[in-house]
Amino acid sequence: MRKVLFFLLSDMIGGGERYAITLINALLKNTFSVKVLILAGSLEKYLKNYDYVILPFGKPLAKYRGLSLHFDLLLKNKFIKNLKPHFQQYNPELIFMQYLKEKILFTEYFSKMGVPILWTEHGVLPFWITKNPVLKYYYLKNAAKPQKIIAISKQGKDSLINIGVTEDKIELIYNGIDTCKFKPDLKAKDSIYIGTISSLTESKGISDFIKFAEYLFLSELKNKIKIEIAGKGPLENSILRLVSKYNDRVKFYGFIDNPEDIISKWDIFINPSRGMGEGLPFRVLEAMACGLIVVSTETGAVNEVIKDGFNGFLIKPQKIDSWLQLIKQIVSSIEKYNFLKKNAENTIKNNFSEKIMLDKTLKVFYESCISH
């Protein structure tokens, strides 16, 4: 078996973490063994059946982005000292990284040890890398060392090329969805269900979604619709106030482990993201796989999946009046959009399935081991 040392230094569970867990499962089924490196108090719940090690780096490694990365660079040798015993004991044949800090802090060390490295970039490189000469220098210096960098969108690939990464180092592999798990639920409903799942933050557009919901309940649609929201984050109290105001028409699930159980019940999915650091959101792909009418802000790489008016709708961030106008149009004659729902489902089956993603990704893993 080929041994992979898999970095997962995050303190939350989101799209990147779910991508990682899906990939770990696939590696374990395909002649790889995997040791996962995590932070204390972060992802143990999701990795209890896996071989993982908690690194004593603390929260600063995972937070505060560019500001703390300067500080972390000063502590680089201390972090590496903590890593060495695990590296030496496990003796991996491949290193996998997907977060900026672990890439900048540790890639050079593992490259000197002669171990092949793979990166995944989940979105466009943030401004605090591209506009900061010091961090840009460290990023490019380390980006030359992996065998391959997997970009999950063309937009992400272009951002790597624009900063100076050579195109032959980049492998474009789109995110993929398990279409056996995420599929349409054709049961009759008592209302038209509009939902969103997201981190409950400003950057994800949740305050915009709350305002949008308020406007809906002041419109002629108020007795035709129900709103459902799932997620976790600092705007949770704002969601709870919305629930208390319209409690028979709004449901809040909090954080959920099995999104397929609720997404498939909805009619319309809204992605209200403002686009800061957005990549290719799994929730958009999942909703399309479930045959929903997906209305998403044109942020990140969403326009690489949604063709406006064909398999979903693209809207501008924070333009709540135009969102309202579109939803009124959809709700007033929702059966008219059955073709769009079928197109959305087929788009995911044919181009963005989990099988396609994993087949291509595992091929990169095998080739990286063999070529080295």
Side-chain angles (χ1 to χ4, degrees):
M1 295 190 106
R2 299 193 178 276
K3 297 192 280 188
V4 179
L5 193 61
F6 199 108
F7 278 78
L8 195 49
L9 303 184
S10 172
D11 62 347
M12 59 173 284
I13 183 76
E17 293 71 33
R18 291 173 55 241
Y19 167 94
I21 291 168
T22 299
L23 181 50
I24 291 167
N25 282 329
L27 289 167
L28 292 172
K29 291 174 184 175
N30 287 274
T31 69
F32 288 89
S33 68
V34 181
K35 184 180 285 288
V36 189
L37 303 179
I38 65 171
L39 298 174
S42 57
L43 301 172
E44 295 103 313
K45 171 184 173 183
Y46 302 96
L47 297 169
K48 59 187 177 184
N49 296 321
Y50 302 96
D51 181 10
Y52 69 85
V53 173
I54 298 172
L55 296 175
F57 293 163
K59 296 293 183 183
L61 191 74
K63 289 189 174 182
Y64 312 124
R65 299 188 171 179
L67 186 63
S68 77
L69 189 45
H70 285 283
F71 178 70
D72 289 333
L73 283 165
L74 298 175
L75 297 175
K76 179 179 173 181
N77 289 337
K78 179 183 175 182
F79 291 144
I80 289 172
K81 185 178 178 181
N82 286 319
L83 271 177
K84 274 184 180 179
H86 305 295
F87 171 71
Q88 291 166 348
Q89 181 184 21
Y90 189 58
N91 192 25
E93 295 164 78
L94 190 68
I95 308 289
F96 177 79
M97 302 175 178
Q98 62 174 6
Y99 300 119
L100 283 167
K101 287 194 175 185
E102 59 206 35
K103 293 167 185 171
I104 290 176
L105 291 174
F106 307 129
T107 296
E108 186 175 22
Y109 168 74
F110 288 116
S111 179
K112 286 179 178 177
M113 295 296 104
V115 184
I117 299 163
L118 285 179
W119 288 5
T120 289
E121 283 293 354
H122 285 287
V124 174
L125 290 173
F127 72 91
W128 49 269
I129 291 287
T130 59
K131 302 299 183 186
N132 183 311
V134 175
L135 298 183
K136 181 178 178 180
Y137 164 78
Y138 276 105
Y139 183 87
L140 281 174
K141 180 183 177 184
N142 285 286
K145 302 183 188 307
Q147 309 298 105
K148 287 288 183 180
I149 300 174
I150 297 169
I152 57 90
S153 68
K154 184 178 182 300
Q155 184 195 51
K157 178 181 177 179
D158 289 345
S159 82
L160 289 167
I161 293 169
N162 289 341
I163 200 177
V165 178
T166 57
E167 186 170 1
D168 63 351
K169 189 172 283 291
I170 306 166
E171 197 76 31
L172 174 59
I173 303 175
Y174 284 105
N175 285 341
I177 298 304
D178 183 348
T179 52
C180 294
K181 186 188 291 186
F182 291 91
K183 55 189 178 183
D185 180 350
L186 303 177
K187 293 174 188 169
K189 305 177 182 74
D190 59 350
S191 299
I192 292 174
Y193 284 78
I194 301 172
T196 194
I197 302 181
S198 176
S199 298
L200 305 180
T201 63
E202 290 289 351
S203 67
K204 293 296 185 181
I206 292 302
S207 59
D208 303 325
F209 184 83
I210 292 168
K211 288 177 192 172
F212 165 71
E214 291 269 14
Y215 287 154
L216 279 178
F217 289 124
L218 293 173
S219 76
E220 66 275 18
L221 301 181
K222 63 183 179 182
N223 295 320
K224 295 181 178 180
I225 61 163
K226 289 186 177 178
I227 300 279
E228 295 195 342
I229 304 164
K232 181 180 178 182
L235 293 179
E236 187 168 324
N237 286 337
S238 299
I239 300 289
L240 293 174
R241 283 194 291 272
L242 184 72
V243 171
S244 66
K245 191 172 181 180
Y246 303 103
N247 95 336
D248 60 328
R249 312 299 294 178
V250 180
K251 184 170 184 178
F252 177 52
Y253 290 91
F255 179 81
I256 54 170
D257 283 320
N258 300 303
E260 66 276 13
D261 294 340
I262 64 166
I263 293 177
S264 60
K265 297 190 307 180
W266 298 343
D267 300 285
I268 301 169
F269 177 88
I270 295 185
N271 171 37
S273 174
R274 294 183 180 180
M276 301 167 199
E278 195 71 86
L280 183 56
F282 275 99
R283 298 308 184 204
V284 167
L285 303 181
E286 290 164 355
M288 292 175 72
C290 290
L292 272 59
I293 298 171
V294 175
V295 177
S296 174
T297 53
E298 194 170 357
T299 53
V302 169
N303 63 6
E304 294 180 41
V305 183
I306 294 181
K307 306 306 173 191
D308 192 36
F310 173 75
N311 57 5
F313 291 102
L314 297 172
I315 53 177
K316 299 296 182 187
Q318 299 182 268
K319 301 294 183 182
I320 296 169
D321 287 344
S322 65
W323 302 4
L324 188 63
Q325 186 178 350
L326 176 60
I327 294 302
K328 284 181 179 180
Q329 177 186 317
I330 293 169
V331 171
S332 67
S333 54
I334 197 162
E335 293 82 7
K336 190 171 87 174
Y337 298 97
N338 285 340
F339 79 95
L340 185 143
K341 295 159 72 173
K342 194 64 183 174
N343 288 342
E345 186 186 350
N346 287 337
T347 295
I348 303 304
K349 280 183 179 176
N350 296 333
N351 302 295
F352 298 92
S353 74
E354 185 176 277
K355 183 180 186 309
I356 293 171
M357 177 187 80
L358 290 175
D359 285 349
K360 290 182 177 181
T361 305
L362 289 171
K363 183 172 181 282
V364 174
F365 271 73
Y366 281 119
E367 289 175 351
S368 296
C369 288
I370 293 166
S371 66
H372 194 77

